[in-house]
Amino acid sequence: MAVNTSAESPLPVGEVSRLIGGWIDRLGAIWVEGQITQLSRRPGAGVVFLTLRDPSYDISVAVTCYRQVFDAVADVVREGARVVVHAKPEWYAPRGQLSLRAAEIRPVGVGELLARLEQLKKSLAAEGLFAPERKKPLPFLPQLIGLVCGRASAAERDVLENARHRWPAVRFEVRNVAVQGVHAVPQVVQAVKELDALEDVDVIIVARGGGSVEDLLPFSDEQLVRAVAGCRTPVVSAIGHEPDNPLLDHVADLRASTPTDAAKKVVPDVGEELQRVRELRDRARRCALAFVEREERGLAHALSRPCMEDPHRMVDERADQISSLADRSRRTLRHLLDRADSELTHTHARVVALSPAATLQRGYAVLQKADGHVVRSPDDVAAGEALRARVAEGAFTVRADNQGS
């Protein structure tokens, strides 16, 4: 219910505190889940004080309960344990402090935790956070590796020693964080975001040694899973041992069974790479030699062909053919000319024999009238008519004196 106030008519602090207490009282008893971060059991005191924290959002609230309520679970509940509390919110007006008055405390069992993790796993998978197409490939040779691990932990030592043994020049940007307990999730999330923001970091490894299901719970936290899913840098999960399988393994771009395995998968072995280079170099040399030898054989085969051994041979053969054809053409032409000459001589002889000039050479004459007509009959000539007589050596004029018979 809203309260009307102004600068001229403000509410006293006590009234505000009383109103807040009234609103909280109306909330009633509720069930709350969280992780115990502080536990105070003073000898002889009838009240137990503890702090219940939400590791995903870094929010805590004070809880009080009577000793007999806590004694019912004292053997199984300690700091760091997850519990479900049935409590009624209380507002302590003099200090303006909120707390929960617990009437019942129940430890969260491993089976229940696993069931909740499985439910969360299905929910995140449905969103596509575990899809293979989202996973980014790791660089072949990372220059700078981000490492998130516990301070002076075996996981840190395993990753650093194995990576530097495989590739001595590799560099690391290490972020030491809490890897279990109430501070693990926010510290790991912060470290991953810091490393992801560094441009030089090529890959991020989140490593932790083995532990119980409760110890590895921070690496199944929804907030951490979403933070890793949003990274631009490839992330490698190396949590626990081979059987351990926190949700971080599913969202990471690569899952390593152990921190040592992470170093082997992220950093190539310099000895193996040098051996691979030698093998590739030898293979390239063999391929080059085989190519040269094959080309040499082909060249030798080409040079062994007659046209290559004696390049002028073909020209000489063609020259002989041309010379033979030229001689044949010459003989044929000569034969044709000789035959034509003989035919021409014979034709000429026949023409000469049949020529009127030949007749004239034998003493004959041809008489022509003035108009050029040849006289073939005496009747064609009149008495005293002038005629032209043509002989072999020339022509002269004659006159017809009388009519012939």
Side-chain angles (χ1 to χ4, degrees), residues 25-26 59 62 65 97 153 156 173 176 238 301 311 347 358 363 382 402:
D25 286 339
R26 286 196 291 271
I59 298 175
C65 65
Q97 182 178 357
S153 61
E156 178 180 7
E173 185 73 23
N176 294 123
H301 176 71
T347 303
N402 50 13

Side-chain angles (χ1 to χ4, degrees), residues 42-49 65-70 101:
R42 298 176 183 176
V47 178
V48 177
F49 298 90
C65 65
Y66 292 113
R67 175 174 290 275
Q68 57 268 29
V69 173
F70 186 81
R101 171 69 70 172

Side-chain angles (χ1 to χ4, degrees), residues 67-397:
R67 175 174 290 275
Q68 57 268 29
V69 173
F70 186 81
D71 287 345
V73 294
D75 295 336
V76 293
V77 170
R78 63 185 186 279
E79 287 190 4
R82 285 180 175 262
V83 295
V84 175
V85 176
H86 187 240
K88 184 179 183 306
E90 292 183 345
W91 179 257
Y92 186 59
R95 295 184 181 177
Q97 182 178 357
L98 174 67
S99 64
L100 299 176
R101 171 69 70 172
E104 183 180 355
I105 299 176
R106 296 181 184 179
V108 178
V110 174
E112 187 175 357
L113 286 175
L114 294 178
R116 292 182 184 179
L117 289 180
E118 186 63 26
Q119 184 178 2
L120 177 59
K121 177 181 176 181
K122 292 180 180 179
S123 175
L124 296 176
E127 294 184 30
L129 297 185
F130 303 157
E133 56 269 18
R134 289 177 55 93
K135 299 186 182 300
K136 298 174 283 295
L138 270 62
F140 166 70
L141 180 59
Q143 301 299 312
L144 181 62
I145 300 175
L147 176 60
V148 180
C149 59
R151 185 179 302 277
S153 61
E156 178 180 7
R157 182 179 64 253
D158 290 345
V159 173
L160 295 180
E161 290 182 357
N162 282 279
R164 287 167 179 163
H165 176 72
R166 293 173 64 83
W167 199 275
V170 69
R171 297 181 296 118
F172 280 90
E173 185 73 23
V174 181
R175 293 291 186 273
N176 294 123
V177 297
V179 292
Q180 70 181 58
V182 294
H183 301 292
V185 173
Q187 291 186 15
V188 173
V189 170
Q190 180 63 26
V192 169
K193 290 182 177 180
E194 288 180 3
L195 293 174
D196 185 51
L198 297 178
E199 294 292 337
D200 296 337
V201 173
D202 299 317
V203 62
I204 300 173
I205 300 176
V206 181
R208 186 202 190 283
S212 64
V213 175
E214 294 87 346
D215 293 337
L216 300 182
L217 279 178
F219 299 97
S220 293
D221 187 86
E222 181 179 359
Q223 185 182 1
L224 176 58
V225 170
R226 294 188 181 278
V228 171
C231 287
R232 63 166 185 82
T233 309
V235 178
V236 177
S237 173
I239 306 302
H241 302 299
E242 180 65 35
D244 298 321
N245 194 20
L247 297 185
L248 180 62
D249 288 350
H250 299 279
V251 74
D253 299 292
L254 179 67
R255 188 248 179 181
S257 58
T258 62
T260 300
D261 183 50
K264 293 180 179 180
K265 289 183 176 180
V266 171
V267 181
D269 185 86
V270 63
E272 294 177 358
E273 296 306 318
L274 289 175
Q275 179 62 26
R276 185 175 291 109
V277 169
R278 286 191 292 268
E279 292 175 356
L280 292 175
R281 184 172 55 195
D282 293 342
R283 180 181 176 185
R285 184 184 296 108
R286 290 194 300 271
C287 291
L289 291 176
F291 175 78
V292 172
E293 290 175 356
R294 184 173 63 252
E295 295 302 315
E296 286 180 345
R297 289 193 299 269
L299 182 60
H301 176 71
L303 292 176
S304 64
R305 300 179 63 182
C307 63
M308 297 299 295
E309 289 183 343
D310 185 8
H312 297 283
R313 180 177 178 178
M314 184 180 295
V315 177
D316 295 340
E317 291 178 353
R318 296 294 182 270
D320 293 342
Q321 291 180 3
I322 292 174
S323 179
S324 176
L325 292 174
D327 293 341
R328 180 180 176 184
S329 300
R330 193 178 293 110
R331 289 192 302 271
T332 302
L333 180 60
R334 187 181 297 110
H335 175 71
L336 293 174
L337 290 176
D338 290 344
R339 188 172 62 182
D341 182 67
S342 176
E343 291 178 354
L344 182 61
T345 302
H346 293 161
T347 303
H348 181 267
R350 289 195 299 271
V351 170
V352 169
L354 298 176
S355 173
T359 303
L360 294 178
Q361 287 290 342
R362 291 196 298 270
Y364 292 93
V366 177
L367 295 178
Q368 294 176 310
K369 298 178 72 171
D371 58 3
H373 285 85
V374 177
V375 178
R376 291 181 174 84
S377 173
D379 296 336
D380 294 336
V381 180
E385 184 179 357
L387 300 174
R388 184 173 179 269
R390 183 180 175 186
V391 295
E393 300 298 333
F396 55 90
T397 302

